[in-house]
């Protein structure tokens, strides 16, 4: 049986987590088909066809799919489902929104946020905020799975030559309507795919002080993140949040500044290759996971760090 | 408008869970259980909608063991009007919970169903979406703001890029994210009053719902522990280590 992967895309480009999801799909055996759904998606279909490991790109072109609303997108996937043994999506806010709806319509379970494929029916997924790893086997005929990007090295984005096939879009439900989006604009890399992430916590004291992190981020080509405490305090918007219920990141270098290291934050970053913690409280739990800890006042350390990187 | 709100009894968020030595799950004997924090936010939102005159009645539902009655009492103390316990000792997975809630929603006919976006034990993040699918109704997941107005609800959602607002036809299913509100603490008089509020008990069998698990847990293990590294004396040493030892900058 083939594997269907829901591609996530924006402005003519694939979102990076799509590549990690393709990598997971390749491990299941069978042809991998990438579904590109949206309005005006011809260009992104061309990009998708170059991903190594993808056999076919299915293009669903419809105004009803211009925004990835769960109701029409799930209906589309369910219509395609009989031809597939597995249906995968990245565990992004889009994948997490759409795929359980697909699973319920197919009367199958969903396996959420897998981090490893043990066998085509057996997967490893974190539970209890990553404090335990469960190995689970699905007994359903169709396996519906969301993939945690940090569990899989991304598929190579170019060099493949998949066929592109336009598919007929069935009648889609109109129960929901997109109203507006307020998206953060940033020249910096995306948090979930950045090679370096520098995050601030409550210790930053205000949103204005995040410029101290931003200037270092720009020197390092890093993304800027935050702890839940910093987001709850209104320092930065929700899309900065790294943690169990925010974004899960695993960069080569994660720099935690003024972050105490609550379990729910650690759940979002403890798989980073190298972790640096800067905190004035030497008892802060963040130091228990940090490769390099610096006990210091961040308002003194950050300017020095910026200087040191010049 | 009636609101149905689903609440789950989970290991308290402050408990550091330990994996059982036989790898069958995590230790749950003699530890504190509480209402799933996201469900508390859902209950709070329901209560606020009632206080604002938008909702007329709040029905809290929990699926789980007899002890989940305590979770329902918490919801009643916060302001829910009555409770339904769907009592079972079996392992109940999200699809089964969604099917149970569908039965109850068809009976109760709520205008809005509120749930937490995920439970902090299995971290599945599925039940609300599945319920919406089974009911054939729209869903607003990861909500940070709700506005109900004639036959529809505008839901502002926390998405990876920022915020997104969708308009849903009612009835609809909405799942609560962290910043939807800050749940209240129940006052002592309200806790006392909650003891007198009705809780009806039913079983999945009586509702005719097949709750057999579709995912078989083969083992539960502790993740590899990360070792604490070294403390560096100053910023210069840190930069030097990152360059020459870790080679990440």
């Amino acid at each position: 049986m083939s594997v269907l992967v829901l591609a996530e895309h924006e402005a003519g480009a694939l979102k990076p987590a799509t590549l990690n999801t393709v990598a997971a799909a390749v491990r299941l055996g069978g042809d991998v088909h990438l579904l590109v759904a949206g309005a005006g998606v011809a260009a992104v279909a061309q990009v998708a066809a170059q991903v190594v490991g993808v056999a076919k790109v299915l293009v669903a072109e419809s105004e009803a799919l211009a925004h990835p609303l769960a109701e029409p997108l799930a209906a589309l996937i369910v219509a395609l489902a009989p031809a597939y043994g597995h249906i995968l999506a990245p565990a992004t806010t889009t994948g997490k929104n759409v795929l359980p709806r697909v699973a319920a319509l197919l009367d199958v379970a969903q396996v959420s946020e897998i981090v490893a494929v043990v066998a085509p029916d057996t997967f490893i997924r974190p539970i209890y905020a990553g404090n335990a790893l469960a190995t689970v086997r699905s007994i359903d005929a169709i396996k519906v799975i969301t993939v945690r990007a940090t569990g899989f090295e991304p598929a190579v984005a170019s060099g493949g030559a998949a066929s592109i096939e336009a598919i007929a879009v069935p009648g889609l439900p109109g129960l929901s309507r997109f109203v507006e989006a307020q998206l953060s604009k940033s020249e910096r890399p995306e948090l979930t795919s950045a090679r370096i992430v520098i995050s601030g916590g409550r210790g930053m004291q205000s949103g204005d002080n995040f410029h101290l992190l931003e200037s270092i981020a720009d020197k390092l080509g890093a993304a800027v993140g935050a702890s839940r405490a910093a987001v709850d305090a209104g320092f930065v918007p929700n899309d900065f949040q790294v943690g169990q219920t925010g974004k899960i990141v695993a960069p080569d270098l994660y720099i935690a500044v003024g972050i105490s290291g609550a379990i729910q934050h650690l759940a979002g970053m403890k798989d980073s290759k190298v972790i640096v913690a800067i905190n004035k409280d030497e008892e802060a739990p963040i130091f228990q996971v940090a490769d390099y800890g610096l006990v210091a006042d961040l308002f003194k350390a950050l300017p020095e760090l910026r200087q040191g990187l010049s | 408008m009636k609101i149905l709100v689903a609440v789950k009894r989970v290991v308290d968020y402050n408990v550091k869970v330990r994996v059982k030595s036989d790898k069958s799950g995590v230790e749950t004997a003699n530890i504190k259980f509480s209402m799933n924090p996201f469900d508390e936010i859902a209950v709070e939102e329901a209560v606020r909608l009632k206080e604002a005159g938008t909702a007329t009645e709040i029905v809290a539902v929990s699926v789980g063991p007899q002890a989940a009655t305590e979770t329902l009492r918490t919801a009643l103390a916060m302001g829910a009007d009555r409770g339904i316990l769907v009592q079972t000792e079996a392992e109940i997975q999200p699809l089964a919970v969604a099917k149970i809630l569908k039965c109850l929603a068809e009976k109760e006919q709520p205008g809005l169903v509120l749930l937490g976006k995920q439970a902090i034990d299995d971290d599945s993040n599925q039940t609300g979406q599945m319920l919406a699918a089974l009911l054939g109704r729209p869903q607003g997941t990861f909500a940070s703001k709700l506005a109900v107005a004639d036959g529809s609800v505008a839901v502002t959602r926390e998405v990876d890029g920022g915020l997104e607002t969708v308009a849903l036809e009612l009835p609809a299913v909405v799942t609560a994210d962290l910043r939807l509100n800050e749940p209240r603490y129940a006052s002592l008089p309200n806790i006392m009053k909650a003891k007198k509020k009705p809780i009806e008990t039913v079983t999945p069998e009586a509702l005719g719902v097949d709750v057999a698990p579709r995912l078989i847990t083969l083992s539960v293990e502790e993740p590899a522990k990360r070792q604490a590294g070294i403390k560096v004396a100053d910023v210069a040493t840190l930069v030097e280590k990152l360059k020459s030892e870790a080679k990440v900058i």
Side-chain angles (χ1 to χ4, degrees):
Chain A
M1 290 290 268
S2 302
V3 180
L4 182 67
V5 174
L6 175 64
E8 203 172 331
H9 58 88
E10 189 177 55
L14 286 177
K15 293 259 192 107
T18 303
L19 299 176
N20 307 78
T21 308
V22 168
V26 166
R27 296 195 193 182
L28 298 167
D31 281 354
V32 175
H33 296 177
L34 198 50
L35 171 62
V36 176
V41 290
V44 74
Q46 295 292 338
V47 174
Q50 292 170 34
V51 176
V52 175
V54 175
K56 198 197 286 186
V57 173
L58 305 179
V59 183
E61 176 78 41
S62 165
E63 271 308 313
L65 297 166
H67 300 283
L69 295 169
E71 298 80 6
L73 201 45
L76 172 69
I77 296 170
V78 167
L80 298 170
Y84 295 93
H86 294 82
I87 299 172
L88 275 63
T92 54
T93 48
T94 300
K96 290 192 278 197
N97 187 35
V98 174
L99 235 53
R101 192 169 178 105
V102 171
L105 292 173
L106 296 172
D107 191 24
V108 302
Q110 176 183 283
V111 192
S112 293
E113 302 220 18
I114 65 163
V115 293
V117 173
V118 177
D121 65 352
T122 307
F123 314 94
I124 298 179
R125 58 176 305 263
I127 54 175
Y128 290 93
N131 286 304
L133 292 172
T135 303
V136 297
R137 187 169 70 218
S138 163
I139 58 170
D140 286 315
I142 302 179
K143 277 95 176 129
V144 173
I145 299 166
T146 60
V147 175
R148 184 175 284 191
T150 56
F152 300 88
E153 289 293 323
V156 177
S158 60
S163 59
I164 298 179
E165 185 185 309
I167 58 169
V169 177
L172 299 172
L175 298 161
S176 57
R177 183 170 55 81
F178 172 85
V179 178
E180 61 169 351
Q182 297 157 264
L183 303 181
S184 301
K185 289 198 179 59
S186 171
E187 299 299 309
R188 299 191 186 89
E190 201 188 327
L191 200 45
T192 50
S193 56
R195 201 180 68 76
I196 302 178
V197 173
I198 181 164
S199 290
R202 198 194 301 275
M204 296 303 296
Q205 293 181 10
S206 77
D208 287 344
N209 289 333
F210 267 70
H211 76 86
L212 295 167
L213 300 179
E214 288 160 4
S215 62
I216 292 169
D218 291 340
K219 286 216 182 297
L220 294 171
V224 177
S227 70
R228 177 185 165 183
V231 177
D232 283 353
F235 298 172
V236 287
N238 65 285
D239 49 289
F240 278 58
Q241 185 175 326
V242 173
Q244 179 191 10
T245 65
K247 295 200 171 85
I248 311 287
V249 303
D252 289 347
L253 173 61
Y254 187 88
I255 307 176
V257 184
I259 292 177
S260 64
I263 290 174
Q264 86 89 27
H265 185 74
L266 300 184
M269 47 61 82
K270 68 184 165 60
D271 292 328
S272 305
K273 290 198 182 73
V274 175
I275 296 175
V276 169
I278 301 176
N279 202 302
K280 66 179 175 190
D281 173 12
E282 64 178 314
E283 301 297 321
I286 191 79
F287 287 121
Q288 291 165 20
V289 300
D291 299 283
Y292 302 104
L294 176 64
V295 180
D297 179 354
L298 67 91
F299 295 103
K300 194 166 158 287
L302 288 177
E304 279 178 33
L305 182 57
R306 193 171 65 92
Q307 204 107 80
L309 294 170
S310 297
Chain B
M1 181 176 76
K2 191 191 281 185
I3 296 181
L4 193 67
V5 57
V7 296
K8 184 177 185 183
R9 176 180 181 263
V10 298
V11 172
D12 186 84
Y13 75 100
N14 278 315
V15 172
K16 175 99 178 80
V17 297
R18 281 185 305 132
V19 170
K20 284 186 189 167
S21 51
D22 67 358
K23 297 185 178 177
S24 65
V26 304
E27 208 60 71
T28 53
N30 303 318
I31 58 170
K32 188 180 175 200
F33 280 79
S34 302
M35 188 190 297
N36 177 43
F38 291 101
D39 299 346
E40 266 190 298
I41 297 171
V43 174
E44 175 67 33
E45 196 65 18
V47 174
R48 289 187 191 189
L49 285 168
K50 190 178 172 194
E51 287 168 347
T54 309
T56 49
E57 189 189 20
I58 302 167
V59 183
V61 183
S62 193
V63 182
Q66 177 65 40
T69 307
E70 293 162 27
T71 313
L72 286 172
R73 290 281 172 216
T74 305
L76 297 175
M78 288 174 73
D81 297 294
R82 58 188 169 91
I84 302 173
L85 173 66
V86 183
Q87 192 178 345
T88 172
E89 300 298 322
E91 179 197 355
I92 303 285
Q93 295 179 346
L95 181 61
V97 177
K99 287 179 178 178
I100 288 169
L101 294 176
K102 174 184 183 254
C103 281
L104 297 175
E106 283 171 346
K107 183 163 161 265
E108 298 284 346
Q109 294 290 319
L112 191 62
V113 184
L114 287 169
L115 309 87
K117 75 164 179 177
Q118 76 188 67
I120 62 165
D121 49 6
D122 60 30
D123 282 335
S124 289
N125 193 333
Q126 300 173 6
T127 305
Q129 296 89 315
M130 287 181 154
L131 173 62
L134 297 176
L135 290 170
R137 298 308 309 167
Q139 66 190 51
T141 52
F142 325 144
S144 67
K145 193 177 158 202
L146 288 192
V148 180
D150 345 301
S152 79
V153 56
V155 182
T156 302
R157 310 177 51 235
E158 296 205 358
V159 295
D160 288 336
L163 297 171
E164 175 193 86
T165 304
V166 291
L168 312 177
E169 279 177 25
L170 293 175
V173 177
V174 172
T175 73
D177 213 321
L178 287 172
R179 283 165 282 269
L180 183 58
N181 58 52
E182 273 190 50
R184 69 195 64 193
Y185 290 102
S187 65
L188 190 59
N190 284 341
I191 292 170
M192 299 310 289
K193 252 192 267 173
K195 290 184 178 164
K196 296 205 180 83
K197 291 182 179 176
I199 294 181
E200 175 194 350
T201 302
V202 294
T203 61
E205 296 73 38
L207 296 172
V209 176
D210 171 17
V211 296
R214 307 291 190 83
L215 298 180
I216 312 298
T217 299
L218 303 179
S219 73
V220 174
E221 292 174 54
E222 229 174 281
K225 279 255 184 309
R226 207 179 167 105
Q227 296 298 320
I230 57 164
K231 292 257 170 65
V232 293
D234 50 37
V235 170
T237 316
L238 176 62
V239 172
E240 169 57 25
K241 292 274 185 198
L242 291 178
K243 278 186 177 156
S244 58
E245 195 175 272
K247 298 189 169 63
V248 284
I249 59 169

